[in-house]
Amino acid sequence: MSPGAGVGFLISQLGYVISGRFKDLLAPLGLEPRQFLVLRHVAQAQGSSQQALGKALRIPPSRMVSIVDSLERRGLVERRANPTDRRARALHLTPEGRRMLARTFKVAVEHERAICADLSPAEREMLVGMLRRLTLARQLVPGVHPALTSEEAAAS
Amino acid sequence: MSPGAGVGFLISQLGYVISGRFKDLLAPLGLEPRQFLVLRHVAQAQGSSQQALGKALRIPPSRMVSIVDSLERRGLVERRANPTDRRARALHLTPEGRRMLARTFKVAVEHERAICADLSPAEREMLVGMLRRLTLARQLVPGVHPALTSEEAAAS
DNA sequence: TATACATCGTTTCAGTATGTAACTATTCGC
DNA sequence: GCGAATAGTTACATACTGAAACGATGTATA
């Protein structure tokens, strides 16, 4: 079989373009994909420490610092004091952060719509089903894009 | 819709892992993905100059130098003199390069087999068909993985 | 033919992104 | 209390990348 025709190559090639396109869609909001990833997880687990978040997302502590820095500078996230541990910072979404997250979801929905524009709803569902079977077989963490996280810790 | 459930995210996530896996499969052969890309295209267009190849693959000239350097050092590719233009180098596959390419194709086939292990042949065909119909798929250069090439020149 | 300009391959360089290893402040186990 | 472990931060060393400069060669033009 000619390379470029297989499922593997197609998915890999498409994935690169799709994530690049999402990055472009996020750019007008002043958000990078990694910032979006962290913002979303802060919303899901308010009050988490930076390293707890970093562990879940496989982002090393030193990188988390600058990501949270940028989110805080933009007023989307707050570093509050943790009442029980003065070393840790409790991360919280600000109202502005919540609004931003809502905007990103709209972007994501539009992105998805554009990608699947040529597919019927039934086809789309079938596609999702097959892709999901492929992901399950590969032990991926749902909702966490490995390109934005660290290579290591895969052995854990 | 929750992020992580969409076609876009699934493909992007899968694509990253799949290309990473291919890189790992290539590693025992002492070949990196970009070297493989160039090697394959040298085979398809023997005698090309470096920049002609670079233009097709969207790899800037300065990068092409080190890629061809490494391929030549390993004895897979030759820089011959171009009889009609002494500036250009005519790239040719060596017999060893040809053997290497055959080995990489075996790797690619095995990779594809592993990916589609859970899919019936009919499903696999349907999957390929749908992937090809995704809107973003239309802008892709067949057989050229954009992650290995330059960002620019997209406007051309 | 002489001259200006374009092209090929190469080298140099500066910007960016990354993880590791120190470092301080704090907490926990004993 | 005292040593070890942990949270966040900073400093640093490394790798990757493309733009730009460069010499050699080719092409067009007068």
Side-chain angles (χ1 to χ4, degrees):
Chain A
M1 175 210 348
S2 140
V7 169
F9 190 87
L10 271 174
I11 291 182
S12 175
Q13 195 187 28
L14 267 171
Y16 185 82
V17 186
I18 286 174
S19 59
R21 174 72 183 140
F22 186 60
K23 179 180 172 183
D24 292 343
L25 289 174
L26 235 37
L29 301 181
L31 227 51
E32 297 184 5
R34 213 182 343 250
Q35 296 174 317
F36 168 63
L37 177 70
V38 171
L39 189 68
R40 188 155 58 86
H41 275 77
V42 167
Q44 285 174 0
Q46 298 236 34
S48 292
S49 72
Q50 293 185 189
Q51 292 194 20
L53 214 63
K55 196 176 173 188
L57 303 180
R58 293 187 174 169
I59 297 177
S62 62
R63 259 218 267 178
M64 192 60 86
V65 172
S66 63
I67 299 172
V68 175
D69 276 354
S70 62
L71 291 176
E72 194 174 37
R73 220 179 302 121
R74 297 209 44 206
L76 306 175
V77 154
E78 267 183 352
R79 281 192 248 236
R80 298 192 196 156
N82 184 323
T84 66
D85 187 343
R86 279 190 297 172
R87 293 171 304 178
R89 316 299 197 91
L91 298 179
H92 287 269
L93 230 57
T94 65
E96 179 58 27
R98 211 173 304 280
R99 279 192 291 273
M100 174 61 81
L101 204 55
R103 261 177 281 169
T104 64
F105 282 153
K106 279 188 193 153
V107 166
V109 169
E110 166 58 20
H111 185 219
E112 177 77 4
R113 195 200 57 71
I115 291 170
C116 300
D118 293 341
L119 260 44
S120 74
E123 284 176 325
R124 187 186 164 283
E125 196 143 346
M126 205 183 324
L127 180 55
V128 169
M130 287 195 282
L131 290 175
R132 227 192 277 279
R133 273 162 66 198
L134 295 186
T135 55
L136 287 182
R138 303 197 156 251
Q139 308 166 350
L140 291 175
V141 183
V144 175
H145 198 302
L148 305 175
T149 66
S150 168
E151 310 293 317
E152 326 302 323
S156 67
Chain B
M1 178 214 343
S2 138
V7 169
F9 189 88
L10 280 172
I11 290 182
S12 176
Q13 192 189 30
L14 266 171
Y16 185 82
V17 196
I18 286 174
S19 59
R21 173 71 184 145
F22 186 61
K23 180 180 172 184
D24 293 343
L25 289 174
L26 235 37
L29 301 181
L31 226 50
E32 297 184 5
R34 207 178 291 116
Q35 295 174 317
F36 168 64
L37 177 71
V38 171
L39 189 68
R40 187 154 58 88
H41 275 77
V42 167
Q44 286 174 359
Q46 298 236 34
S48 293
S49 72
Q50 293 184 187
Q51 291 194 19
L53 214 64
K55 195 177 174 187
L57 303 181
R58 293 187 173 170
I59 296 178
S62 60
R63 258 217 268 180
M64 193 60 87
V65 172
S66 63
I67 298 172
V68 176
D69 276 354
S70 62
L71 290 176
E72 195 174 37
R73 220 179 301 124
R74 297 210 42 205
L76 305 176
V77 154
E78 266 182 353
R79 280 192 249 235
R80 299 191 195 155
N82 183 324
T84 65
D85 188 340
R86 281 188 296 172
R87 293 170 306 177
R89 316 296 197 93
L91 298 179
H92 287 269
L93 230 57
T94 64
E96 178 59 26
R98 211 173 305 281
R99 279 191 292 274
M100 174 61 81
L101 205 55
R103 261 177 282 169
T104 63
F105 281 154
K106 279 187 194 155
V107 166
V109 169
E110 164 58 19
H111 185 217
E112 178 75 5
R113 196 201 56 70
I115 291 171
C116 301
D118 295 338
L119 261 42
S120 74
E123 283 177 325
R124 186 187 164 286
E125 194 144 346
M126 206 183 323
L127 179 55
V128 169
M130 287 195 285
L131 288 176
R132 251 193 251 281
R133 278 171 53 210
L134 295 187
T135 52
L136 291 176
R138 295 184 192 143
Q139 313 160 6
L140 294 176
V141 183
V144 175
H145 198 301
L148 305 175
T149 66
S150 167
E151 309 293 316
E152 324 302 323
S156 68

